Amino acid sequence: MPIAVSQQQVQPRFTVASQVEVRDAKGQAGVRAKFRNVSLSGCFLETEMPLPENTRVRVLMKALNLHADVWGIVRRCEPAVGMGVQFTNGNTVEDWKRLEQLIEKLETRNGQKTCF
């Protein structure tokens, strides 16, 4: 009997030392966080004050001289540790393109990646 393989595409995750600001969809005060890793599909953010699962968030990132403003949903919350965010879209098409450029730069910069 064949084993079913997940159709979900696995995105490589990259480490990057960068601070980000996370706001909920209501525009409440931002939470400062630090990337643990980032991919085109999402990121894990280290913060002592993670937002609850299923919260729609806006992630404002600055890394490698690129600024991107993307929306996502908190998919994992680890109290006092951080949160996993799945990206859904850029605030603009250009923001999503800048996220893609960031991932490309990280890929060519050092090639350090971990697949999840």
Side-chain angles (χ1 to χ4, degrees):
M1 180 177 221
I3 298 173
V5 177
S6 172
Q7 296 298 320
Q8 184 178 5
Q9 184 178 4
V10 176
Q11 296 287 335
R13 292 190 178 251
F14 300 91
T15 56
V16 59
S18 179
Q19 296 286 322
V20 299
E21 184 177 343
V22 182
R23 299 181 188 161
D24 68 17
K26 298 173 188 167
Q28 301 297 320
V31 173
R32 287 272 186 223
K34 181 180 140 190
F35 277 125
R36 178 181 291 173
N37 58 53
V38 64
S39 76
L40 192 56
S41 61
C43 62
F44 189 87
L45 300 171
E46 295 176 346
T47 179
E48 292 182 5
M49 300 182 310
L51 298 169
E53 287 182 8
N54 299 314
T55 301
R56 184 155 163 76
V57 295
R58 188 172 179 182
V59 180
L60 305 163
M61 60 183 84
K62 297 175 189 172
L64 302 178
N65 297 320
L66 289 169
H67 301 259
D69 182 352
V70 297
W71 287 92
I73 299 171
V74 177
R75 295 297 184 196
R76 191 171 93 204
C77 177
E78 296 181 21
V81 176
M83 58 188 153
V85 176
Q86 177 185 16
F87 297 140
T88 57
N89 59 286
N91 195 44
T92 65
V93 172
E94 290 78 21
D95 281 309
W96 191 261
K97 287 180 182 178
R98 285 191 288 271
L99 173 63
E100 290 174 334
Q101 290 171 350
L102 171 63
I103 299 303
E104 287 173 12
K105 278 188 170 189
L106 290 169
E107 197 167 34
T108 58
R109 184 181 72 168
N110 57 19
Q112 294 177 350
K113 57 185 171 182
T114 307
C115 292
F116 288 92

